[in-house]
Amino acid sequence: MKGRSIRTRVTLWFSVSLIIVVLLSFISFMIVSRTVVEKTTLNILRDAVENNLDEVEFHDEIINDEMDQDSDYYMKYSDGWLEIDDDFLSSVNGVYCAVYDVSPGCPELIYGENPIADITKACEFSNRDLQKIVTDGVEYHIYDRKVRSEGLKNVWIRGVISDEQNAGDVHTIAEITIIILIAILIIAILGGNIIAGRMLNPISSITKAASKISRGNDLKERIDIGEGKDEVHELADSFNKMMERLEVAFADEQQFTSDVSHELRTPISVIMAQSEFALENSNKEDDYIDALETVKRQAGKMSKLVNDMLTFARLGRNSGVYEKIKMNLSEVVESISEDMALIEEKGIKLECEAEPDVFVNGNRELLSRLIVNLIGNAYKYGKDEGHIWVKVKVAEGKAYLTVEDDGIGIAEDEIPKISKRMYQVDSSRNDKGSGLGLYMVKEIAEFHGGRIMVESRLNHGSKFIFEISTF
């Protein structure tokens, strides 16, 4: 089946399964039907004999005028007369009934019909018992009843019916059943093929869309199969959502590449310009020193940008480079705050207040970078002679690291954008960073299963809150 389409395979398996079910159903139905028909036939045989039982009577004497005027059958029997009512049915519904005189010796058929009378002589008369005899490949059922009327000691009624009687009914049922089942089978197979085709059409659409994307890199391609709640529609929706995410991610990557190229272009241009100037125009040692300092500063900026990009790549791959362990967040925050308080940039005063022994499951290097970035961001956008407050506290199984400043703040419409790559609130301050700091903070927080929350008012300062589960 490897070369066949899914639709063909589904239809084929469905058809084979349905044929097997139909065959088993037909066999079971015929077995039940034969049993029911046979039981019905035997009931007909019993009923016919039992009904005729009341039509046989004995009379001690009878008047000739009564015999002439009556349509019943009379015959001399023993010391009286045997009367068989005209309602006695010798043949009805395939049942043959006959009256027998079973006096000592050979039983004698005295009234009625029995097409196998000679053969049934070998069967002893047994009251209310069913007997079976086969002749010429045909099976007959025999039912005997002894007449209990006074004076009729040896009179019996024997009923005979052939299996051929119910065979015709069984054959008729079989023919009708076969026609109905074949019709159902054809309709089901055709319907299953159509349904399978309709169900698989969206998959064909998905295949075509994926092929079109692979040929032309068109990430805007979507699958439209209408409304529905089945698994195929869920697959199409998942594919469309995946393409939306890929489109956004691809656009972000393109933008990131463009932004990084822009960020690298400036220091490279400066380095080249300073190198050319130093080589061509300067003969003094101070000029060389100034040029080298500029080159070092720009190279440091490039190095930081490259390191940040490497960190992003490792976080994105989740390659296991950054191992998480049980660590004391309070100690790390206090240590970094103590070191960064020595910066004394713009006369800003840094204060740290941390609850002791707040343990989390994290990577020390990454969380240290998160803390440094948050505090560094507060220094960059803090006001002269301002304050930075760093706090660590625990509430309801969560650890909260808060870095708050009283600096320039962030406009409300800018807050959702600050965690994007290469984004800076004030484009005039590009010399202060690459725009990756807060994006790095967001990525590190998500890597640890945490999140970053921001509260800020323009010209009133900002508060960054890092939430992470305690260990």
Side-chain angles (χ1 to χ4, degrees), residues 166-352:
N166 60 51
D169 296 336
V170 173
H171 291 157
T172 301
I173 293 173
E175 291 175 358
I176 296 173
T177 303
I178 289 173
I179 293 172
I180 293 174
L181 291 178
I182 290 176
I184 293 174
L185 191 63
I186 293 173
I187 294 172
I189 291 174
L190 293 177
N193 186 55
I194 294 172
I195 293 173
R198 290 182 178 178
M199 290 178 63
L200 293 172
N201 278 338
I203 297 179
S204 299
S205 300
I206 294 173
T207 303
K208 292 178 182 177
S211 178
K212 186 175 181 180
I213 292 169
S214 65
R215 290 196 305 269
N217 293 324
D218 183 11
L219 297 178
K220 296 185 179 297
E221 185 71 21
R222 298 292 184 271
I223 299 171
D224 183 12
I225 59 173
E227 296 182 356
K229 296 183 179 180
D230 55 32
E231 291 82 353
V232 178
H233 282 82
E234 290 179 1
L235 174 62
D237 291 340
S238 299
F239 182 86
N240 287 335
K241 290 177 182 177
M242 179 190 69
M243 293 311 303
E244 289 174 4
R245 290 195 297 271
L246 285 176
E247 183 182 3
V248 172
F250 188 68
D252 287 346
E253 290 299 326
Q254 287 182 322
Q255 184 64 43
F256 181 62
T257 302
S258 176
D259 292 338
V260 169
S261 299
H262 178 74
E263 288 293 326
L264 289 175
R265 183 185 304 165
T266 300
I268 290 174
S269 299
V270 172
I271 289 173
M272 291 182 64
Q274 288 294 323
S275 299
E276 291 174 0
F277 177 79
L279 290 172
E280 295 177 3
N281 302 317
S282 297
N283 295 319
K284 297 179 181 180
E285 183 179 349
D286 291 341
D287 292 337
Y288 285 115
I289 292 174
D290 291 341
L292 288 174
E293 288 179 348
T294 301
V295 170
K296 179 182 178 182
R297 186 169 58 253
Q298 296 299 326
K301 184 176 181 180
M302 292 172 60
S303 176
K304 184 179 184 304
L305 182 60
V306 171
N307 287 334
D308 288 344
M309 292 173 61
L310 179 60
T311 300
F312 292 139
R314 289 174 175 174
L315 287 174
R317 291 197 306 268
N318 197 16
S319 58
V321 174
Y322 298 111
E323 182 181 0
K324 297 177 186 177
I325 60 173
K326 181 180 179 181
M327 57 172 288
N328 193 327
L329 181 64
S330 301
E331 290 183 355
V332 176
V333 171
E334 288 176 340
S335 175
I336 293 175
S337 297
E338 184 178 350
D339 291 340
M340 296 193 72
L342 301 175
I343 295 176
E344 296 184 351
E345 184 178 346
K346 297 189 295 186
I348 296 175
K349 184 178 180 180
L350 188 150
E351 299 178 8
C352 178

Side-chain angles (χ1 to χ4, degrees), residues 109 144 161 210 255 308 351 365 373 387 396-397 406-407:
L109 192 157
D144 300 323
I161 190 170
Q255 184 64 43
D308 288 344
E351 299 178 8
E365 178 186 347
N373 282 356
H387 294 80
E396 298 180 354
D406 55 359

Side-chain angles (χ1 to χ4, degrees), residues 100 102 105-109 114 116-125 131 133 142 158 160:
Y100 279 84
V102 191
C106 183
E108 180 183 356
L109 192 157
N114 184 353
I116 55 170
D118 293 339
I119 299 172
T120 57
K121 286 181 180 180
C123 294
E124 294 184 4
F125 285 80
Q131 301 182 69
I133 189 172
I142 302 170
R158 168 164 283 181
V160 178

Side-chain angles (χ1 to χ4, degrees), residues 34 41 94 96 114-116 119-120 123 131-142 160-168 171:
R34 181 176 292 277
T41 300
Y96 296 94
N114 184 353
I116 55 170
I119 299 172
T120 57
C123 294
Q131 301 182 69
K132 189 183 295 185
I133 189 172
V134 179
T135 178
D136 296 331
V138 180
E139 191 175 83
Y140 290 88
H141 298 282
I142 302 170
V160 178
I161 190 170
S162 168
D163 252 359
E164 291 183 342
Q165 174 67 25
N166 60 51
H171 291 157

Side-chain angles (χ1 to χ4, degrees), residues 7-21:
R7 179 177 181 178
T8 302
R9 282 183 283 176
V10 169
T11 303
L12 184 59
W13 280 110
F14 173 75
S15 301
V16 172
S17 301
L18 189 59
I19 289 172
I20 293 173
V21 170

Side-chain angles (χ1 to χ4, degrees), residues 42-61:
L42 295 178
N43 288 336
I44 292 174
L45 174 61
R46 289 192 189 96
D47 291 342
V49 174
E50 296 289 345
N51 290 336
N52 283 333
L53 194 62
D54 295 332
E55 309 303 329
V56 179
E57 298 178 2
F58 178 78
H59 301 281
D60 292 330
E61 58 180 290

